[in-house]
Amino acid sequence: MAKFALLIGVSHHGTGFNILPGAVKDVEEMQRVLQSPGLGFDEVETLKDPEPLVMQAAIEALFRDKARQNSDLVLLYFSGYCIKDYSNKLFFATSRTSKNTQRELIKSTVVSASFVQDIMNDSRATQQILILDCCFTQASAANVAATQDSTSGDIASQLGGNRTILLSSATQSFFQQKGNDISTYTRYLVEGLEGAADLDGDRWIAVDELHEYISRKAEATAANIEPVIINSHNNKILIGPVAETQPQQSEPLVLPTRRTRLFAPLVQHRSVRLLLGVSFTTLITLVGATYIIQRQQLLQLPFGNSLVAAPRDYNQTAQTRLDHSKTVWSLATTHDGQTLVSSSGDTTIKVWHLPSGKPIRTLSGHTAAVWSVAITPDGRSLISGSGDKTIKVWNLQTGELTRTLTGSEDTVWAVAISQDGNTIVSADGNNTIKVWDLPSGKLLRSFAADTSRLRTIALSPDGQTLASGGQGQDIKIWDINTGQLIRTLAAHKSKIITVAISPDGETLASGSNDETVEIWNIRTGRLVRTLHGHTDHVNSVAISADGQFLVSGAEDREVKLWSLRTGRLLHTFQGHPGDVYAVAISPDDQTVISGDKEGQIKFWR
């Protein structure tokens, strides 16, 4: 994983635009802090007063040529004018940016936001940060009011997409009068990167933690900026570790009223964020804007789209369902977070509306305990494996049984499905792994698992690699296409009960009767860390859809929430009357779900 930054500052322009002398100073300060060894950037390139083609080429090179791996992080910073035309299309100023005699923007002298968006979308890098410390202006003075009212929406649509956007407002007069000093927003940004934004003291600086620091400083000093972060996803990017020596703050940081209370969960639990190199879908954009959104409107957004997007501070009081008459063995959720499926020793499968916890229907058809369930990525089909030696395929919307797969000689302990929804993998009690074609129900291949009492499997997101565990203390990693053993992971001191693979396919979590959870790098086979905290057999582990959290359930009747990257224990949920055998976490991180020996399902929100 590599880290690259491009810093662009435009102070001088053509006809029709005032000079912004501090813009290039902003770039110099950002260059200084990003080149510090602590933040670990491999390359920091600067452009001062570039021409349009030079600026476009540098942006394209950053996102296309330098970022060669999904795990690479790229950061684009721009200080200068951001201009909107008559149709509210957004452009970045260059040294050639001018207006004609009719005061109309000459578009050959600017770089369009659509160009930048296309380049970002085509990039291999899934960790992208865009910081705009901009002076927003309209190509026509008659539409300045419209600029102030709609800028945030225009940026979200023209640069955001599925990204998270941080906006910082500053009036045009502020930019013009600041002389040769760096802007207030960038000054606070630099302070944060130098270590002041490490609000929870874990010695790492995250994007949203950085935004929170700037917001507090702006409110405490009554600065003429309004930092805003708009999140479409709850994923996080950590920019880098805090340097060993941090500069002293020149003034105390006052924690103001409403914003402090709003961000309290963030400050307390920021450690649940994924560290650099683990995230697989995170795409974060930080932007600074003028006269954006009123604070009271921002604070009213629901959590899933909130400006904070901090991990949940889950309550210890859980909604409880007691509809299964025997042990809950497996839980699965749809990708949209609307549906939960549970399976039990009472031979039934139950379908729930996850947000409300209300039951939708019960699926009956198996004649023995249903040990495992999996849902296709499109949410249309449910796969179940049972002690009756069958695998059943259900229409999740209607509850109709569409197919029964036979051929297993013993209990089907576990099932998994590929992300393309075409391949089912099952683990049998006779220590056999079977690969099935879901559309046809045909058995494609079968191979011995080389594990006594095979119990658990997990399929990588690309459908190429399988992890298995059982009575032995080893975890086996297989090539699903050939049945060849790739490697063996050995560290547990007792049998393996549960395994899970992270959404990026890089990390494996395993739970064992030795009361520990172990975190592995699948690609290298290296044991990353061992999580201690449970006091009895760990029966189930699950990794959140964004790869940030790990949930574990054990026979100590506790459910634990961990930071997958740091291994820090974040929450312990207590209240189950029996051993916990199944855990899951909703895709939006709103709800932790757990099932126990007494047939209870708890929704921790």
Side-chain angles (χ1 to χ4, degrees):
M1 188 273 295
K3 297 164 67 176
F4 304 98
L6 173 62
L7 314 177
I8 303 173
V10 183
S11 291
H12 299 87
H13 315 84
T15 303
F17 291 89
N18 295 313
I19 187 173
L20 301 178
V24 295
K25 296 292 185 180
D26 292 341
V27 165
E28 292 170 357
E29 276 297 286
M30 284 295 293
Q31 180 185 23
R32 179 186 63 79
V33 70
L34 292 182
Q35 285 183 335
S36 63
L39 290 181
F41 275 80
D42 297 271
E43 179 181 321
V44 178
E45 179 184 358
T46 64
L47 287 180
K48 299 176 183 179
D49 292 332
E51 296 187 354
L53 291 179
V54 172
M55 184 167 155
Q56 287 181 330
I59 293 172
E60 187 166 10
L62 173 71
F63 289 98
R64 185 193 64 187
D65 300 333
K66 294 179 181 178
R68 298 187 176 276
Q69 301 183 38
N70 288 345
S71 59
D72 288 346
L73 182 144
V74 289
L75 184 153
L76 174 61
Y77 170 92
F78 179 83
S79 178
Y81 279 116
C82 290
I83 308 158
K84 293 164 65 177
D85 68 5
Y86 296 104
S87 58
N88 286 330
K89 292 181 180 178
L90 187 64
F91 301 89
F92 300 111
T94 72
S95 62
R96 297 288 187 181
T97 297
S98 304
K99 295 180 181 179
N100 61 23
T101 55
Q102 285 76 42
R103 306 291 296 170
E104 297 170 333
L105 179 66
I106 302 175
K107 293 187 178 179
S108 61
T109 66
V110 293
V111 174
S112 70
S114 62
F115 168 82
V116 178
Q117 186 178 48
D118 288 344
I119 295 300
M120 291 191 301
N121 288 340
D122 292 340
S123 177
R124 296 183 183 92
T126 55
Q127 298 190 104
Q128 302 178 12
I129 303 174
L130 175 60
I131 306 176
L132 304 184
D133 191 353
C134 282
C135 175
F136 281 86
T137 185
Q138 193 82 14
S140 170
N143 289 330
V144 170
T147 303
Q148 298 170 359
D149 293 336
S150 63
T151 297
S152 61
D154 294 329
I155 295 175
S157 62
Q158 296 180 50
L159 284 170
N162 292 325
R163 299 156 179 79
T164 303
I165 303 176
L166 174 64
L167 306 108
S168 167
S169 65
T171 64
Q172 183 169 349
S173 60
F174 172 76
F175 268 84
Q176 292 174 236
Q177 296 171 6
K178 71 186 181 70
N180 290 320
D181 295 332
I182 66 172
S183 74
T184 301
Y185 180 81
T186 293
R187 183 167 73 252
Y188 294 158
L189 177 66
V190 169
E191 286 180 8
L193 290 171
E194 287 178 326
D198 181 24
L199 298 180
D200 64 357
D202 71 348
R203 306 199 64 77
W204 282 86
I205 299 170
V207 166
D208 56 352
E209 196 174 36
L210 183 61
H211 161 70
E212 166 61 359
Y213 172 77
I214 298 171
S215 299
R216 293 184 182 193
K217 290 284 290 189
E219 190 164 357
T221 60
N224 191 21
I225 58 173
E226 181 68 21
V228 179
I229 184 169
I230 300 175
N231 284 281
S232 57
H233 294 289
N234 293 329
N235 300 320
K236 302 290 180 282
I237 291 178
L238 295 194
I239 297 175
V242 176
E244 288 301 320
T245 302
Q246 297 184 23
Q248 296 295 321
Q249 296 184 27
S250 57
E251 55 188 59
L253 178 60
V254 180
L255 308 185
T257 55
R258 283 193 304 176
R259 192 185 299 272
T260 301
R261 295 195 296 271
L262 176 65
F263 281 87
L266 167 67
V267 177
Q268 295 169 3
H269 304 296
R270 215 279 301 151
S271 57
V272 300
R273 295 185 191 87
L274 183 64
L275 295 184
L276 288 174
V278 181
S279 172
F280 82 110
T281 58
T282 306
L283 192 58
I284 293 189
T285 308
L286 304 174
V287 188
T290 241
Y291 295 120
I292 306 297
I293 305 172
Q294 294 183 6
R295 181 172 304 162
Q296 57 267 33
Q297 293 174 312
L298 301 177
L299 299 179
Q300 292 171 358
L301 291 176
F303 174 78
N305 296 309
S306 74
L307 304 180
V308 184
R312 290 282 294 179
D313 188 8
Y314 297 93
N315 294 322
Q316 292 296 301
T317 302
Q319 178 185 359
T320 302
R321 302 296 312 189
L322 184 55
D323 280 27
H324 283 294
S325 59
K326 293 185 179 180
T327 302
V328 177
W329 290 117
S330 183
L331 297 167
T333 65
T334 53
H335 284 190
D336 63 5
Q338 294 299 302
T339 305
L340 169 74
V341 174
S342 61
S343 70
S344 170
D346 63 12
T347 76
T348 68
I349 299 167
K350 292 188 181 293
V351 182
W352 311 80
H353 180 245
L354 180 54
S356 66
K358 295 181 179 179
I360 297 175
R361 64 177 57 89
T362 297
L363 310 183
S364 300
H366 283 294
T367 58
V370 185
W371 293 101
S372 181
V373 288
I375 300 172
T376 55
D378 62 9
R380 296 180 180 179
S381 298
L382 168 70
I383 317 301
S384 57
S386 169
D388 62 12
K389 305 179 184 180
T390 68
I391 299 168
K392 293 186 182 295
V393 182
W394 311 79
N395 183 314
L396 188 54
Q397 280 71 43
T398 66
E400 177 187 5
L401 177 63
T402 59
R403 179 175 287 114
T404 297
L405 309 182
T406 60
S408 298
E409 299 175 1
D410 205 332
T411 295
V412 180
W413 288 108
V415 293
I417 189 162
S418 62
Q419 284 203 347
D420 63 7
N422 292 323
T423 304
I424 300 172
V425 183
S426 63
D428 300 342
N430 63 346
N431 304 322
T432 301
I433 295 172
K434 290 182 169 59
V435 182
W436 311 77
D437 178 69
L438 176 56
S440 66
K442 179 182 178 181
L443 179 63
L444 301 177
R445 66 188 66 89
S446 178
F447 56 93
D450 192 26
T451 300
S452 61
R453 298 186 183 180
L454 175 65
R455 177 61 184 269
T456 180
I457 57 173
L459 187 61
S460 64
D462 62 7
Q464 304 300 304
T465 305
L466 184 79
S468 67
Q471 182 67 31
Q473 300 173 14
D474 300 335
I475 300 167
K476 308 288 185 180
I477 307 296
W478 307 89
D479 183 325
I480 200 66
N481 296 311
T482 64
Q484 296 297 308
L485 180 64
I486 298 174
R487 64 178 51 89
T488 298
L489 311 181
H492 281 295
K493 297 178 176 61
S494 187
K495 64 181 179 179
I496 312 299
I497 302 299
T498 177
V499 291
I501 295 177
S502 62
D504 64 357
E506 294 290 320
T507 303
L508 171 76
S510 57
S512 167
N513 277 8
D514 64 9
E515 305 175 1
T516 69
V517 176
E518 290 184 341
I519 309 299
W520 308 81
N521 183 305
I522 297 179
R523 182 169 47 83
T524 65
R526 181 176 65 91
L527 176 63
V528 177
R529 64 177 44 85
T530 300
L531 308 184
H532 298 276
H534 285 294
T535 57
D536 211 327
H537 302 166
V538 179
N539 293 321
S540 181
V541 294
I543 297 174
S544 62
D546 59 9
Q548 296 184 49
F549 310 122
L550 171 73
V551 183
S552 59
E555 291 185 16
D556 57 10
R557 304 184 180 184
E558 292 183 347
V559 178
K560 294 184 182 294
L561 178 68
W562 313 78
S563 163
L564 184 60
R565 172 58 180 86
T566 67
R568 181 181 298 181
L569 178 61
L570 305 173
H571 296 273
T572 296
F573 306 109
Q574 298 175 323
H576 275 286
D579 304 338
V580 179
Y581 281 96
V583 293
I585 185 167
S586 61
D588 62 358
D589 304 333
Q590 289 277 340
T591 309
V592 171
I593 311 105
S594 51
D596 68 20
K597 187 177 182 178
E598 303 302 317
Q600 286 193 13
I601 298 173
K602 290 184 178 290
F603 300 80
W604 309 89
R605 303 185 189 277

